[in-house]
Every structure is written in C-alpha cells, then in structure tokens.
Amino acid sequence: MDFSGYNFSQLKLLVKQTRAFAAMEADEFNVAFKKIILEKTQNKEFDDQFTDFSFFLLENVFFVNAFTDYGINSNRGFFPEMARRLKHKILPANIPDNELVHVINYLFNKRSDYIWLQKINYENWSLLFDRINLSQLESHSAKLANQICNAIIVLCHRLTTMGIDPYLVSKMPEIDDNDSPFFELNHQVSVFVKKHQADSSLSIDYAELNLVLHSINRCELLFKSLQSKKDEIGTSLHLTFLLKRAEQHISRVKLLLRLYLTKEYGDKTQVVSQLLIELVKAIHTKNRVKSFVKENTQLLAYRIVSHTSEKGEHYIGFSKNENYKLFRSALGGGLVVVFLVYIKHWIHDWHLSLFFEGLLFGLNYGLGFVLMHLLHLTLATKQPAMTASYIAENIGNSNVSNIKSWMVFKQILRSQFISLIGNLVIVLPLCFLSSWLLIHYFDHSVFDPTEAKAQMYSNHPFYSGSLIYACFTGVFLSLSGIIIGYFDNKVVYSEISARIIKHPKLANYGLAKRKGIAAFFERNLGAIVGNLFLGFCLGMAGNIGKFIGIPLDIRHITISAGNFGIALGGQYDFGFSLILTVFVGVLLIGIVNIASSFLISFVMACQSRGLSWKQSLKVLMGIT
C-alpha cells in the first residue's frame, strides 16, 4: 500500500512518543498518555491527520479478511498451521495491497506495540477518538457496515462447519441432529444480516437480535461442555485445536455484532479499541510458534498432567501403614534393579555393536520397569514426576490452603525418602554381597580391575560428569511421566476399552474375558509405554553418545549404587577416601535425579494451569 501521497506524521509522532514510556505500569502510563492527548487537543493538524487517516482506512482497506482471519487459527490443523508459521518467518506471505496489515505495519511497526495499546484505559481511548471528525466519515459508514456483515456471515459459516466436524460429533452426537444450534445460528445470522444489508435504514429488530445471540450462546455452551468433559472423554491435539478455533470465532462474531450495532446503541469507543488491539496483536504475533503451541496445547497438557496426578497419589504415604507398604514396595523394586544391573553386564560381555548393545540395554531396563509396575513395586526416582503433578493439582484447587499444600509437600518428601532408602538398602548391600560371594566361592569377578576402577570413577562427583548426566536422567524421568499421562488420556479419548470389547477378532472370547483385557489396558497401557520409554532412554543414551561422539550419558542412583556395590565387592585396592567420595557422589546423583525430575515436572504441571515458569517457582517457594 502506497502512503507516499499522504502525511500522517502527527500520528507517527504520537506512537513514537508513547513508546518512550511504554514500560511504565498501567496507571503511570495512562497519566503520561493523557497528558500527550490533551496537548494534541490544541493541535488542529493532529485532528485533521487523524480524520484523514480514518478516511483513508475506510476508502482503501478491505476489512473482511482482517475481521475473519487475523488472530484466528486457520482450518489447516495444528501441525500444518505450525509449519506455515515457520515458513512465513523465513519468507513472509504475499499479501494484497488493500489488506489492513499494511496500514497497521505502517503505523505500529514495532512488534511490542500491542502491549502498550492494551494498557490504554477507556478514558484515554475516548479522548483520542474524540479527535476524529465523524461527520466526514458518514459517507463510508455503509461500506464498513456491509463488510462487517459479510465478515459475520463468513465466521458463522465456518463455525457451523466446525460444529459438524466428525471429531466433535463422535464425542457429542446430539449436535448432529435437526435441532443443531450451529444450523440454527447459520440461519438466524443470515436472515438478520441480509435483512439489514438490503435496507441499512432499518432499525434493529431486538427480537431477531435476541434469536441470533441465543444461537451463539447455545453454540458456545456446547463447546464449553465438551471442554468440561475432558475428564470423561479425554482430549486430543486436534480436538484442542478445534475448541480453540471455535472460541476465537465466537469471540470475533460477538465483537463484530457489537461493532455493527453501535450505529444505534452502545459505545463505539470500547468496541473499536478492543478490535484494534486484537488486530494489531494478531498481526505482530501471527508467525509466533511458541505462543501458538502454548495456546493450543494447554487443555491437552492439563489433561495429561491430571492423569499423572492421579498416578502420583499412589506414590505418597499419608499414614504409617501406607508408608510401610511403600517401603516394602521399594524393597521389591530394589531387588528387581539388582537383577537388571547384572543382566546389563551380562549383555555387555557379549561385545555387540553399540546399536544392538544399547537396544538390549534398553529392553532390559524397560521390561524391568514394566515388571515393577505390574508387581506394584516402587522405583524411587519415578516418584517426583508423578508427585509434582499431584502438588500442582492441589495448588490449582482454590479450596486448598497453603497449610494443606505444605502438609502434602512434607508427606511427599517423607515418602520419597522412604522409597529411596528402600531401594538402596537392597541394591547396595546385595550387589556388594553377591559380587563378594562370586569371587570367594566361584572365583569369578564381575569386573576386572580396569572395569572396576572405571565404574568407581564414572560415579565420582569431581572426576566425571556424573551430576550432569544425573540431570539428563531427571529429564527422561519427567518425560516418562508425561508419556504415561498422554497414553492414559489416549485410552479414554480413543475409547480403547470399548473397541477391545467389540473387536471382531476377539469375538470367540467370552464377554467377561474381553472386559478383563480391556480393563487391563485401561489401567496399564500408559504405564507400560512410559516405562518402556524410560528404559530405552536410560539404556541407549550412553551408547548413542559414544556413537555420535558427544558427552551424552545417564546416571541413575539405583543403577549407580548397584555398580558401586559390585565394584567394592570385587575386593580391589581402593583407598578409603575414594570409596567415601564415590559413595557421596552416588547419593548426590540421587538428589540430582529427584530434584531435576521434580522441578521439571512441577513447572510443566503449573504451566498446564496457565502459570509461567517464574510463577511456578514462586508457588513452590511459597510451599517450601
């Protein structure tokens, strides 16, 4: 769009002056902004330019695309939309010259301009808009009204298409009948808008208007009820994207109706300022990927974290009896780890290639962790990812006091300590004793002197990267918790249980047996996949690091404690200071495993509830 023949220097100056104090708090900002606007009241040139600018907009800009597309997700779907944003970051789209985007980029050419626009209060917007000579714009009001009507019709058509989307219909069959609110909305809006487009002099028929608003509200309630049923029916990325898109359409239709109806009643200032802010923000954030992902995955993240939280409650002992059961469960988990450590070294002795060795390491750990789950045994380091979500769930509940949150946190610390001790009192002594017995009675050493020394120094807190690798392990532990929650939600959303029961290949089995299989998968699928993922991550990380040539490895306290015990049991000549240092290093690995896994999971759980990571840390510090 060519602005060379126009002089809007006063408007550009106003924007530049406002940016100078844009960082102020809202109250101070509005005081400073008001002072500038009052100064402009003495400047006739500013009033003339502002009126000319408004005239230029109405004369040259096609608003329909701006009203229907800016700030609204496309119908491409989540991943295609994300790909589009990434491509347009590199090479922007070719936009027609009559689009509003050119005008906004001309006047608000800084990406942060929408932030200070949001700070302007109603009084200052009124003062600013009073500078426009509306009598000069009356000849173009009908043109703008017609574009608003067209935009409303387009948005309602799209909303109806979303309302009969198979994904939504499968979850809410009642919306695909003759009384569908989406078809009703489409009809009511078409009648209302076309009637007023045909004769713009007609006064508003409030009975017709109420029918339109009633239809919009019915559609909105359906989408909200679908969102509120997330615990019953689960959710998916596509469903979340659809719900977000529907919310954006409904919000924009309501705003445009308010804008259209201001010709007879209502205050233009509030509506126009809100629409302006939305459009400016949309233009400056249209290619942002991070905010797009956050907005469209929050519901899914909330659901995943909720499933993880439900699992987390089982890892907390709320009484002495529960803590005792947790301790016994941890003893059993430690016994399984001893076998996993020995099986890993047995696989290592085969001297396979890095890939196949890592694959078998991962399979060993993964199946071991699955076995622990099925036998209801506990691996201490898996607790933080689950219990962090449980804490965030309690914090998210406004009825829970800080005192109760602190009590829950204290119980979690106690349970974590009990589980860790339960694992270690089995792993460390049993690995040491078994290694000692193998040498004294069978003349077989698990580690030769070189391997034993390497195992000792691999857990040394100063001579190795063990604590950094322990952080990597914490990341994998957190991811396994997310995967467990994801697949638990997937089981509900995809109706896995019902599909298993009705599977034609299982028709020969009795109904009771099919229900038993379905119940098993409903209870355990998430945990099985999550544990396999964790096992393969822990088993393959070191080999992948060696293959690629980067310092990637893991340190897990129970596995490190097992290797430490086996190395000591070999009766090699290690100094007392080295043994003590490595023992402290093993304990530090456990602390880092637990702390990093807990912190990552807690922040992610809080973010699923709309808190930033800084707010999440403040909440955690408030508890502790």
Side-chain angles (χ1 to χ4, degrees):
M1 190 171 286
D2 185 15
F3 294 92
S4 58
Y6 300 89
N7 179 19
F8 299 132
S9 58
Q10 289 294 322
L11 294 180
K12 299 278 284 185
L13 177 62
L14 173 63
V15 172
K16 184 178 179 180
Q17 289 174 322
T18 307
R19 287 194 191 116
F21 52 83
M24 290 182 178
E25 293 296 325
D27 291 339
E28 293 178 272
F29 172 87
N30 279 292
V31 170
F33 189 75
K34 184 177 181 179
K35 183 179 179 182
I36 292 178
I37 298 301
L38 290 175
E39 289 174 359
K40 300 292 184 186
T41 58
Q42 310 301 321
N43 186 348
K44 188 175 184 304
E45 185 182 1
F46 176 81
D47 293 356
D48 292 340
Q49 284 192 20
F50 200 4
T51 303
D52 290 343
F53 181 77
S54 303
F55 186 87
F56 173 83
L57 279 175
L58 298 177
E59 177 70 22
N60 296 286
V61 174
F62 179 68
F63 287 95
V64 175
N65 290 338
F67 292 159
T68 58
D69 294 337
Y70 295 4
I72 296 176
N73 292 339
S74 69
N75 62 352
R76 295 181 179 89
F78 180 81
F79 289 108
E81 174 63 20
M82 190 162 65
R84 183 200 66 79
R85 290 175 179 239
L86 289 170
K87 286 188 292 185
H88 288 180
K89 271 180 175 289
I90 300 169
L91 187 64
N94 181 29
I95 302 172
D97 290 340
N98 63 346
E99 285 290 325
L100 182 64
V101 62
H102 299 294
V103 180
I104 290 179
N105 284 332
Y106 169 76
L107 192 59
F108 304 104
N109 55 358
K110 299 287 185 184
R111 292 193 174 185
S112 59
D113 282 340
Y114 73 90
I115 297 174
W116 58 260
L117 280 171
Q118 291 173 324
K119 293 182 182 180
I120 302 175
N121 61 21
Y122 175 82
E123 180 187 358
N124 283 333
W125 280 118
S126 298
L127 286 173
L128 183 60
F129 290 149
D130 284 344
R131 311 278 32 96
I132 302 175
N133 186 348
L134 295 177
S135 62
Q136 295 185 26
L137 307 179
E138 288 181 1
S139 60
H140 285 78
S141 60
K143 180 181 177 182
L144 177 61
N146 189 56
Q147 293 194 61
I148 294 172
C149 289
N150 290 338
I152 292 171
I153 291 174
V154 170
L155 289 168
C156 288
H157 281 323
R158 292 179 183 174
L159 193 59
T160 301
T161 304
M162 281 185 278
I164 57 175
D165 185 283
Y167 270 81
L168 299 185
V169 174
S170 65
K171 298 301 176 183
M172 299 185 70
E174 66 271 18
I175 67 177
D176 191 31
D177 56 25
N178 293 329
D179 191 35
S180 170
F182 300 103
F183 294 135
E184 181 189 342
L185 172 64
N186 207 24
H187 173 69
Q188 296 293 349
V189 166
S190 295
V191 170
F192 178 80
V193 168
K194 287 179 180 178
K195 180 179 177 180
H196 288 274
Q197 275 184 311
D199 188 355
S200 59
S201 64
L202 284 175
S203 59
I204 301 298
D205 186 331
Y206 290 97
E208 290 181 351
L209 176 61
N210 287 333
L211 286 174
V212 172
L213 295 176
H214 176 68
S215 299
I216 293 173
N217 290 333
R218 282 188 66 193
C219 294
E220 187 173 21
L221 285 173
L222 270 176
F223 285 118
K224 285 183 177 179
S225 67
L226 188 62
Q227 186 169 332
S228 67
K229 286 183 178 179
K230 60 183 179 295
D231 293 336
E232 302 169 29
I233 64 173
T235 188
S236 71
L237 199 56
H238 181 64
L239 181 60
T240 307
F241 181 81
L242 275 176
L243 290 176
K244 184 65 180 177
R245 188 163 179 258
E247 177 190 328
Q248 292 168 339
H249 277 73
I250 291 171
S251 175
R252 186 60 57 83
V253 168
K254 286 183 173 181
L255 187 58
L256 291 178
L257 275 173
R258 286 173 57 200
L259 180 62
Y260 180 74
L261 297 173
T262 52
K263 66 181 183 180
E264 290 214 358
Y265 75 93
D267 189 352
K268 287 186 176 67
T269 298
Q270 187 174 6
V271 182
V272 173
S273 61
Q274 184 181 341
L275 184 59
L276 173 64
I277 292 169
E278 282 190 16
L279 297 177
V280 173
K281 181 179 180 181
I283 288 168
H284 289 313
T285 60
K286 64 182 178 181
N287 291 329
R288 290 188 182 176
V289 175
K290 184 179 177 181
S291 58
F292 170 75
V293 172
K294 185 177 180 180
E295 286 174 2
N296 288 278
T297 57
Q298 190 163 345
L299 179 62
L300 180 60
Y302 182 92
R303 184 62 190 135
I304 289 171
V305 167
S306 296
H307 275 294
T308 308
S309 172
E310 291 166 12
K311 301 278 185 185
E313 191 171 357
H314 301 302
Y315 286 88
I316 306 171
F318 292 98
S319 65
K320 286 185 178 180
N321 186 44
E322 288 181 356
N323 283 326
Y324 179 64
K325 288 180 179 178
L326 200 58
F327 182 71
R328 284 189 304 174
S329 173
L331 291 176
L335 184 61
V336 174
V337 169
V338 172
F339 284 102
L340 297 182
V341 170
Y342 272 101
I343 292 171
K344 180 188 175 183
H345 293 306
W346 178 52
I347 294 170
H348 181 64
D349 288 341
W350 293 356
H351 302 293
L352 301 172
S353 67
L354 286 175
F355 174 78
F356 286 106
E357 184 183 68
L359 193 65
L360 290 177
F361 284 169
L363 195 61
N364 171 46
Y365 286 149
L367 293 177
F369 295 155
V370 170
L371 179 65
M372 286 187 204
H373 167 74
L374 295 178
L375 295 177
H376 305 291
L377 305 178
T378 300
L379 185 67
T381 49
K382 283 182 62 182
Q383 284 179 275
M386 303 295 184
T387 54
S389 300
Y390 180 78
I391 289 180
E393 184 80 26
N394 279 274
I395 291 169
N397 183 353
S398 58
N399 296 323
V400 178
S401 65
N402 289 333
I403 295 174
K404 186 175 179 181
S405 296
W406 161 244
M407 293 299 292
V408 169
F409 189 74
K410 190 164 69 172
Q411 287 166 331
I412 287 173
L413 287 177
R414 185 189 296 118
S415 301
Q416 181 67 74
F417 179 75
I418 289 169
S419 299
L420 194 59
I421 294 299
N423 282 165
L424 289 180
V425 297
I426 289 292
V427 173
L428 197 53
L430 201 56
C431 284
F432 172 82
L433 185 61
S434 59
S435 178
W436 185 84
L437 289 173
L438 284 171
I439 282 184
H440 280 73
Y441 291 98
F442 299 96
D443 196 27
H444 173 75
S445 60
V446 180
F447 296 142
D448 61 32
T450 303
E451 288 176 329
K453 185 177 180 181
Q455 288 293 339
M456 293 291 285
Y457 277 97
S458 69
N459 294 316
H460 199 289
F462 306 125
Y463 295 156
S464 73
S466 59
L467 299 185
I468 297 173
Y469 299 149
C471 286
F472 295 161
T473 307
V475 174
F476 293 140
L477 288 163
S478 300
L479 290 175
S480 71
I482 293 169
I483 287 173
I484 289 171
Y486 174 81
F487 277 94
D488 281 340
N489 169 74
K490 187 73 173 175
V491 167
V492 176
Y493 179 76
S494 298
E495 300 175 322
I496 299 294
S497 297
R499 290 159 67 180
I500 289 174
I501 292 171
K502 297 175 182 178
H503 198 293
K505 298 290 185 183
L506 301 176
N508 293 331
Y509 293 91
L511 181 61
K513 184 171 286 189
R514 278 180 280 150
K515 284 185 176 180
I517 296 172
F520 173 83
F521 278 99
E522 188 171 8
R523 288 193 307 268
N524 299 301
L525 182 62
I528 290 172
V529 176
N531 281 305
L532 285 173
F533 169 82
L534 177 62
F536 277 99
C537 284
L538 299 188
M540 297 189 72
N543 285 36
I544 290 173
K546 290 176 185 176
F547 180 77
I548 299 175
I550 60 173
L552 173 66
D553 207 345
I554 62 98
R555 290 294 182 275
H556 188 278
I557 180 170
T558 53
I559 297 170
S560 294
N563 290 330
F564 174 65
I566 292 172
L568 281 182
Q571 300 295 295
Y572 298 113
D573 186 21
F574 298 121
F576 176 76
S577 61
L578 176 62
I579 294 173
L580 182 61
T581 304
V582 174
F583 177 73
V584 171
V586 170
L587 295 181
L588 288 174
I589 286 171
I591 292 171
V592 173
N593 284 163
I594 291 167
S596 58
S597 174
F598 179 87
L599 190 61
I600 293 168
S601 300
F602 181 81
V603 170
M604 292 182 71
C606 288
Q607 285 189 328
S608 74
R609 285 156 176 78
L611 299 176
S612 68
W613 67 271
K614 289 183 180 179
Q615 291 171 320
S616 305
L617 293 180
K618 286 181 180 178
V619 169
L620 183 60
M621 291 175 68
I623 296 173
T624 56

